[in-house]
């Protein structure tokens, strides 16, 4: 007779909780073979294979709804696409670690030469911290986002690119908006990627060399390693300028905005995005049982002030400004990652959590074990300036 496994045995084999096994069963994507005389659910070897599939799909960032849909496809499951996405996640993490090493090496070289004032060191570490937080949040949205659509896919759609469009992507980072929609770039588009991090541009240039034959006819990329604030943007050069998640790093925001406006051709548009806004209400409901008070008041105030400042600058520089909102959410079902996410939201919140860290960790573990995991809603803002 084929071997049977209890939910606990299956959970131990996979390194998940028994509650996770029950949750997958409730969602109809993992089914027991039979029940024992005592009423326990029993699983066979096919359940092990199915659990492998579920965990693999979850690891590459697919939502529960996506997993349900993918598993119904059977042999038509897009394994190559899923492996490609998993590879991108691993490469993102490697790039993050490479960047940390680069900054540390740079700081060490300055220290050895006695050339690193404390103000410069603080600036370097602040930039490093912001990049770490941004990359960490991005990886979480890739794995635990609930919208069914990825942010960069949505953003690409908002660009409304036409044939022969001349594009400047300022502070392009890892070029996610382009890498995720490579084959959808229209004929003849000329896209300039600008960033002050040479490593990221070299990575993107390597992708371009590997995949340029997949681009539509006449479409091409060029690369500029420049500090955005010091670079002289050519006048009336671009039909569209993309400034994604850039403004938190800019000292003279109004000056850069004027410069980018000058770089737009007649009828051109500036498209700009901010870091996602987190639902303070969802976070409060999640944490009040342990912290016994509302949290993120300072975060919400800073966020409101920042958005107000940027909207004022946009309105002062451009004749027409409009905004679209990308609504998403996070349902993080790993206690340590959920704890890290909450701590990364705000320094004051992290300080409160750390004073009761052990209690908070146990609370989150139990919350996840009982399921379903509470969702934390988010909103991403995209501004269109003409």
């Amino acid at each position: 007779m084929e071997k049977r496994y209890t939910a606990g045995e299956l959970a131990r084999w996979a390194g998940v909780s028994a509650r996770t096994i029950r949750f997958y069963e409730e969602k109809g994507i993992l089914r027991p073979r039979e029940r024992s005389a005592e009423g326990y659910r029993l699983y066979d070897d096919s359940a092990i294979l199915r659990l492998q599939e579920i965990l693999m799909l979850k690891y590459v960032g697919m939502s529960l709804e996506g997993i349900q849909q993918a598993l119904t496809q059977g042999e038509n499951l897009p394994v190559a696409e899923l492996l490609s996405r998993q590879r991108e996640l691993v490469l993102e993490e490697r790039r993050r670690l490479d960047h940390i090493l680069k900054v540390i090496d740079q700081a060490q070289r300055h220290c050895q030469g006695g050339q690193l004032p404390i103000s410069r060191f603080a600036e370097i570490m602040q930039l490093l911290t912001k990049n770490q937080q941004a990359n960490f949040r991005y990886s979480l949205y890739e794995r635990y986002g609930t919208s069914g659509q990825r942010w960069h896919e949505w953003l690409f759609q908002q660009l409304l690119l036409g044939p022969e469009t001349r594009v400047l992507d300022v502070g392009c980072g890892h070029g996610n908006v382009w890498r995720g929609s490579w084959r959808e770039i229209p004929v003849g588009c000329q896209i300039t990627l600008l960033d002050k991090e040479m490593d990221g541009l070299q990575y993107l240039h390597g992708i371009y060399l590997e995949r340029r034959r997949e681009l539509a006819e006449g479409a091409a990329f060029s690369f500029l390693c420049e500090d955005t604030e010091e670079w002289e943007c050519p006048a009336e050069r671009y039909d569209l300028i993309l400034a994604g998640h850039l403004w938190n790093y800019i000292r003279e925001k109004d000056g850069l905005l004027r410069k980018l406006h000058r770089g737009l051709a007649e009828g051109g548009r500036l498209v700009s995005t901010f870091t996602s806004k987190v639902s303070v209400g969802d976070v409060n409901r999640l944490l009040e049982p342990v912290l016994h008070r509302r949290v993120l008041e300072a975060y919400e105030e800073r966020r409101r002030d920042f958005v107000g400042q940027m909207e004022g600058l946009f309105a002062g520089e451009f004749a027409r400004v409009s905004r679209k909102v990308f609504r998403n959410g996070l349902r993080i079902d790993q206690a340590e990652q959920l704890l890290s996410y909450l701590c990364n939201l705000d320094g004051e919140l992290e300080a409160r959590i750390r004073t009761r860290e052990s209690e908070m960790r146990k609370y989150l573990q139990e919350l996840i074990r009982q399921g379903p995991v509470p969702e934390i809603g988010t909103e991403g803002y995209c501004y269109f300036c003409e």
Side-chain angles (χ1 to χ4, degrees):
M1 179 179 176
E2 188 179 5
K3 182 174 175 58
R4 297 288 187 262
Y5 309 90
T6 66
E9 290 172 331
L10 194 63
R12 285 192 293 275
W13 174 87
V16 299
S17 68
R19 179 68 189 95
T20 297
I21 301 297
R22 292 195 293 273
F23 177 71
Y24 290 150
E25 183 184 342
E26 291 167 2
K27 295 299 181 181
I29 56 177
L30 183 67
R31 302 182 186 279
R33 179 75 176 189
E34 60 190 43
R35 288 184 178 269
S36 68
E38 296 79 12
Y40 293 110
R41 294 180 300 278
L42 297 176
Y43 302 83
D44 60 9
D45 289 339
S46 67
I48 292 179
L49 296 177
R50 173 50 60 92
L51 187 55
Q52 283 181 321
E53 292 173 341
I54 294 170
L55 295 177
M56 188 273 286
L57 294 173
K58 180 181 174 184
Y59 182 75
V60 297
M62 187 172 288
S63 66
L64 178 62
E65 292 76 11
I67 291 174
Q68 290 172 313
Q69 182 179 5
L71 292 178
T72 63
Q73 298 178 23
E75 293 300 320
N76 295 321
L77 189 66
V79 175
E81 178 184 338
L82 295 171
L83 290 175
S84 178
R85 188 184 302 179
Q86 182 177 359
R87 185 174 186 274
E88 282 299 318
L89 291 173
V90 174
L91 286 174
E92 288 288 347
E93 178 64 12
R94 187 171 75 179
R95 286 192 292 271
R96 185 183 70 83
L97 294 175
D98 286 343
H99 179 70
I100 292 173
L101 289 172
K102 178 182 176 182
V103 172
I104 291 173
D105 290 343
Q106 183 184 31
Q108 282 183 325
R109 286 195 297 272
H110 283 291
C111 287
Q112 291 169 356
Q115 302 171 355
L116 188 64
I118 190 65
S119 59
R120 176 58 180 153
F121 180 77
E123 181 182 344
I124 290 173
M125 297 312 297
Q126 184 182 42
L127 177 61
L128 174 59
T129 299
K130 286 181 179 179
N131 284 337
Q132 282 182 290
Q133 291 173 343
N135 290 335
F136 175 68
R137 285 193 295 267
Y138 175 75
S139 68
L140 289 182
Y141 281 108
E142 287 288 290
R143 295 186 62 182
Y144 301 111
T146 62
S147 73
Q149 185 178 25
R150 303 163 80 186
W151 158 259
H152 290 99
E153 294 171 351
W154 178 86
L155 178 57
F156 180 84
Q157 294 171 1
Q158 310 313 308
L159 299 181
L160 301 176
L161 297 180
E164 312 294 336
T165 303
R166 297 165 298 173
V167 181
L168 171 67
D169 185 353
V170 182
C172 65
H174 295 143
N176 296 316
V177 68
W178 310 110
R179 292 190 291 113
S181 303
W182 195 259
R183 293 186 175 89
E184 299 175 41
I185 297 171
V187 169
C189 280
Q190 302 297 307
I191 301 169
T192 301
L193 304 183
L194 184 148
D195 201 279
K196 65 180 180 180
E197 296 291 341
M198 177 60 76
D199 290 348
L201 288 175
Q202 288 176 339
Y203 165 75
L204 291 172
H205 188 255
I207 290 179
Y208 174 60
L209 293 178
E210 290 177 6
R211 301 187 59 188
R212 58 184 171 183
R213 293 181 180 178
E214 301 173 28
L215 289 170
E217 183 179 358
F221 283 81
S222 57
F223 306 86
L224 285 176
C225 185
E226 298 278 357
D227 185 319
T228 303
E229 293 194 85
E230 299 176 2
W231 178 63
E232 287 300 323
C233 183
E236 301 180 356
R237 173 70 63 85
Y238 303 100
D239 303 306
L240 184 145
I241 295 179
L242 174 62
H245 289 30
L246 175 71
W247 300 104
N248 283 324
Y249 301 89
I250 302 301
R251 295 182 297 274
E252 299 294 334
K253 297 177 177 58
D254 53 346
L256 176 59
L257 196 59
R258 286 194 298 272
K259 181 164 59 177
L260 296 182
H261 192 178
R262 190 171 62 248
L264 289 172
E266 183 177 356
R269 296 182 301 145
L270 171 72
V271 178
S272 192
T273 65
F274 301 156
T275 304
S276 295
K277 173 186 175 183
V278 176
S279 169
V280 173
D282 290 344
V283 176
N284 281 331
R285 283 188 289 274
L286 178 64
L287 295 182
E288 277 184 321
V290 176
L291 299 182
H292 307 298
R293 59 179 294 183
R294 293 179 59 82
V295 296
L296 291 185
E297 291 92 343
Y299 163 87
E300 190 171 28
E301 183 177 350
R302 286 195 302 272
R303 174 77 188 186
R304 186 167 52 246
D305 290 346
F306 176 76
V307 170
Q309 176 194 14
M310 293 308 307
E311 289 181 345
L313 290 174
F314 290 151
E317 184 67 27
F318 289 89
R320 291 191 299 274
V321 179
S322 59
R323 185 181 82 172
K324 289 186 179 180
V325 180
F326 176 75
R327 291 180 172 83
N328 199 355
L330 285 170
R331 190 171 277 122
I332 304 172
D333 61 2
Q334 300 295 319
E336 287 301 323
Q337 291 204 338
L338 179 53
L339 182 64
S340 296
Y341 170 75
L342 294 168
C343 287
N344 269 276
L345 283 177
D346 178 74
E348 182 180 341
L349 175 59
E350 179 178 15
R352 293 180 185 176
I353 290 175
R354 296 303 183 191
T355 61
R356 310 184 71 171
E357 184 171 351
S358 178
E359 181 182 357
M360 180 64 71
R361 180 176 285 105
K362 291 178 182 178
Y363 161 70
L364 293 177
Q365 289 170 344
E366 181 62 20
L367 187 70
I368 290 170
R369 188 188 68 80
Q370 292 178 358
V373 181
E375 181 174 342
I376 300 174
T378 64
E379 292 182 348
Y381 296 160
C382 184
Y383 288 83
F384 305 85
C385 306
E386 303 176 69

